[in-house]
Amino acid sequence: HGRLALDEEAHRQLRVEGAEVALRVAVEQRRVLILQRVLELDETFYHGGAHIFFGVYYGGRSPMFGGDFDKSEHHFARAAEINDNRLLLVDVLYAEYLARQRLDQSAFRYRLTRVIDAPADLYPEMALINGIARERAAHLLQFENDWF
């Protein structure tokens, strides 16, 4: 009787976990649809945020799981262009997601050192996010030898 109770509990837990996974997939699909619509309406909205999202979305996973490095590259490039290469977060996320997935150490190092070396007043309206990007870049560089 104890084994039957354990099996029932295991099945219940699997159903709960399966429902949670299905919910996460549905939420992600909805997020993708909303941000695709943002690109259609105004790709420059909030500093090209939809392009940044898709840069991470396509660059942060292997092609076997829906990643597409060319699409990622396009979206990161467009986000950088929209911000005149002043929003340092774009370079940090490029390095963290796309360069790492591609195992491109030189792009990883180049992007992160560019962020660290950028002037503090590069984009006054986004000083806080650029400061956070600088800290993240320094943090990520500490793992360069482990990842490459």
Side-chain angles (χ1 to χ4, degrees):
H1 181 54
R3 181 178 163 92
L4 181 60
L6 180 62
D7 287 344
E8 288 174 6
E9 175 59 23
H11 281 97
R12 187 193 69 73
Q13 185 63 34
L14 285 173
R15 282 193 305 274
V16 168
E17 289 174 7
E20 289 173 356
V21 168
L23 180 61
R24 278 193 301 260
V25 168
V27 167
E28 181 172 322
Q29 289 172 343
R30 183 166 171 76
R31 188 178 305 141
V32 167
L33 291 173
I34 289 169
L35 288 166
Q36 284 173 338
R37 185 69 175 142
V38 169
L39 287 178
E40 292 168 9
L41 295 174
D42 180 6
E43 70 171 342
T44 67
F45 177 73
Y46 200 72
H47 309 280
H51 282 294
I52 297 169
F53 170 84
F54 283 113
V56 171
Y57 179 81
Y58 289 118
R61 52 185 66 162
S62 81
M64 182 170 49
F65 295 109
D68 185 323
F69 299 157
D70 291 336
K71 285 183 180 181
S72 177
E73 182 86 40
H74 163 76
H75 286 292
F76 278 128
R78 190 67 190 111
E81 183 180 345
I82 288 168
N83 291 286
D84 296 320
N85 287 308
R86 297 180 304 149
L87 185 60
L88 301 177
L89 179 66
V90 174
D91 284 310
V92 170
L93 294 175
Y94 181 105
E96 185 171 0
Y97 291 96
L98 184 57
R100 278 184 60 200
Q101 276 287 354
R102 284 181 165 167
L103 299 176
D104 186 345
Q105 184 175 7
S106 64
F108 179 85
R109 186 181 315 112
Y110 171 77
R111 296 281 180 145
L112 296 178
T113 54
R114 177 192 177 281
V115 168
I116 291 168
D117 294 342
D121 62 349
L122 178 67
Y123 200 177
E125 310 89 276
M126 299 299 282
L128 178 61
I129 195 70
N130 276 353
I132 293 168
R134 247 185 224 91
E135 288 179 16
R136 182 74 181 159
H139 174 75
L140 291 172
L141 274 173
Q142 295 175 356
F143 299 98
E144 180 179 7
N145 292 328
D146 296 335
W147 292 334
F148 299 98

